[in-house]
């Protein structure tokens, strides 16, 4: 592969003009033009001597030792690696195969004019690294350790640039360059602290060199680490751990090397006797409050030991509500159409109850369980729509468990209200009888001392103040 650095125009840095090199005025005369050549060792280099405004003058090519390689289309030099590619009055083009470092140097183009013109081209030979090697300090590292890696690129020209990567992340290393004759050896050092996430990750040494592309080598890290432990609850899958229910736990551990020892224990207390441990599983068939505590699963390998905890709290068992007592009630539906004057639809009521017309119907009709006949006075009674509270004891075949619970609550409330009403009635009756017995009772002082008198006259005479009163109170008859 030949790398040419050509810039258009004979006044560029890599394009040389013979008359300018000799500080001559070229005007519209002949000019020699050539370019520098960069080639990788072992590839082919092409040297071109071109003439502008040619007048059929002779062109020849000389090597760095100023030996003639080609004179016009004739090759005096006995080096078969030089081959004629093109010859004309305006160009002499020659190829050099299997280029080596010894071929590096200046090659001269000459034009036989008056005065003669001469221009040179430089061949630069690139040498890629002969070998690329990564040396690692420890083949197997332990989590948390810092390891040293060295990447060496040997016998290159020019010196290479080494870059480090861990996976897709670029790292920074420290490079040293050593020169041997015309060759360079570069060594880059990388210090890397490894963790469990680095196990199996490639560390790449990449070379930047103009003679080669994508030259790299890599080593896979091997990191040992202590177990990573996890406790999972198999049963119950969701919800609370309640008294009387079973509990099943499973312990899983991953490490490098794989954990060989795994055990269950109870933190700060002994393991209950009814707990069954089978390998990585722990089973409690019947939970109770004494099982509360922290249960730990420990796992260990050659690197170390680690654990995971499970905190158990046993809750009370769920309370069960007894099914409501079903009461059969006979109801009579009033066949009366109720007109709803509002736009809102009222919830459906499962039945209406006929009110009794008299005390006899209340005493005999309701107590006997027979329907109360509908009399003419029913039309005067207002239609009563029963609320949900009044129908609490009337069973509904479409009601579920929630309706039954509500019925029980309403029955309790109704019983409490009935007891309060009965107590108030009893209190009213007692107060009424008390006031009735003490109605009109009062005391006077007119007959004091009359209890011991034999007759009414004596009682009047013996009454306290009776004599005085007889004297003070006088009656006059006209």
């Amino acid at each position: 592969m030949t790398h040419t650095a050509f810039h258009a125009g004979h006044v560029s840095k890599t394009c040389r003009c013979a008359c300018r090199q000799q500080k001559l005025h070229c005007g519209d005369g002949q000019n020699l033009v050539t370019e520098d050549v960069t080639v990788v060792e072992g590839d082919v280099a092409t040297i071109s001597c071109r003439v502008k405004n040619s007048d059929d003058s002779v062109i020849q090519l000389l090597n760095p030792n100023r030996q003639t390689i080609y004179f016009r289309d004739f090759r005096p030099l006995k080096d078969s690696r030089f081959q004629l590619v093109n010859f004309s009055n305006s160009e002499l083009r020659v190829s050099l195969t299997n280029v080596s470092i010894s071929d590096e140097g200046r090659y001269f183009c000459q034009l036989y004019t008056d005065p003669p013109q001469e221009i040179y081209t430089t061949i630069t030979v690139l040498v890629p690294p002969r070998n690329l090697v990564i040396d690692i300090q420890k083949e197997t590292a332990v989590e948390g350790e810092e390891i040293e890696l060295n990447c060496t690129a040997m016998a290159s020209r020019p010196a290479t640039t080494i870059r480090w990567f861990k996976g897709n992340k670029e790292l920074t290393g420290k490079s040293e360059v050593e020169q041997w004759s015309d060759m360079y050896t570069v060594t880059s050092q990388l210090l890397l602290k490894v963790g469990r996430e680095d196990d199996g990750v490639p560390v790449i040494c990449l070379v930047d060199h103009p003679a080669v592309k994508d030259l790299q080598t890599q080593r896979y890290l091997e990191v040992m680490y202590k177990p990573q432990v996890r406790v999972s609850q198999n049963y119950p899958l969701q919800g609370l751990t309640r008294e009387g229910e079973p509990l099943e736990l499973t312990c899983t551990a991953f490490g490098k090397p794989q954990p060989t020892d795994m055990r269950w224990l109870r933190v700060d207390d002994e393991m209950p006797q009814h707990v069954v441990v089978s390998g990585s599983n722990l089973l409690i068939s019947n939970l109770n409050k004494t099982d509360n505590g922290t249960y730990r699963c420990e796992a260990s390998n050659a690197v170390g030991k680690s654990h995971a905890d499970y905190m158990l709290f046993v809750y009370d068992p769920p309370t069960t509500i007894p099914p409501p007592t079903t009461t059969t009630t006979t109801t009579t539906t009033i066949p009366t159409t109720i007109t709803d004057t509002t736009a809102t639809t009222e919830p459906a009521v499962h039945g209406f109850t006929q009110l009794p017309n008299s005390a006899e119907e209340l005493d005999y009709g309701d107590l006997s369980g027979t329907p109360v006949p509908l009399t003419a006075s029913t039309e005067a009674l207002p239609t009563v729509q029963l609320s949900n509270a009044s129908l609490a004891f009337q069973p509904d075949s479409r009601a579920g468990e929630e309706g039954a619970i509500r019925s029980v609550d309403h029955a309790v409330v109704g019983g409490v209200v009935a007891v309060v009403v009965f107590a108030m009635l009893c209190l009213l009756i007692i107060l009424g009888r008390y006031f009735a017995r003490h109605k009109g009772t009062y005391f006077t002082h007119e007959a004091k001392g009359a209890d011991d008198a034999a007759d009414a006259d004596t009682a009047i005479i013996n009454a306290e103040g009776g004599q005085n009163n007889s004297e003070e109170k006088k009656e006059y008859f006209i």
Side-chain angles (χ1 to χ4, degrees), residues 245-296:
E245 296 182 353
L247 173 67
E248 183 178 358
L249 304 177
T250 298
C251 179
T252 55
F254 301 96
K256 188 172 183 179
Q258 190 65 21
T260 55
D261 184 19
M262 186 180 300
R263 68 190 187 100
W264 283 94
L265 57 92
R266 187 177 181 183
V267 180
D268 299 332
D269 204 347
E270 294 182 357
M271 186 73 75
Q273 295 182 356
H274 59 278
V275 174
V276 178
V277 176
S278 176
S280 61
N281 294 333
L282 183 145
L283 176 64
I284 304 177
S285 58
N286 189 4
L287 289 172
N288 57 65
K289 294 300 182 76
T290 61
D291 297 329
N292 289 337
T294 301
Y295 294 81
R296 174 173 295 175

Side-chain angles (χ1 to χ4, degrees), residues 82-102:
F82 291 96
Q83 295 294 326
L84 183 64
V85 177
N86 182 43
F87 172 73
S88 65
N89 293 332
S90 60
E91 183 183 23
L92 174 61
R93 186 185 303 174
V94 178
S95 64
L96 173 61
T97 60
N98 194 20
V99 176
S100 64
I101 295 178
S102 60

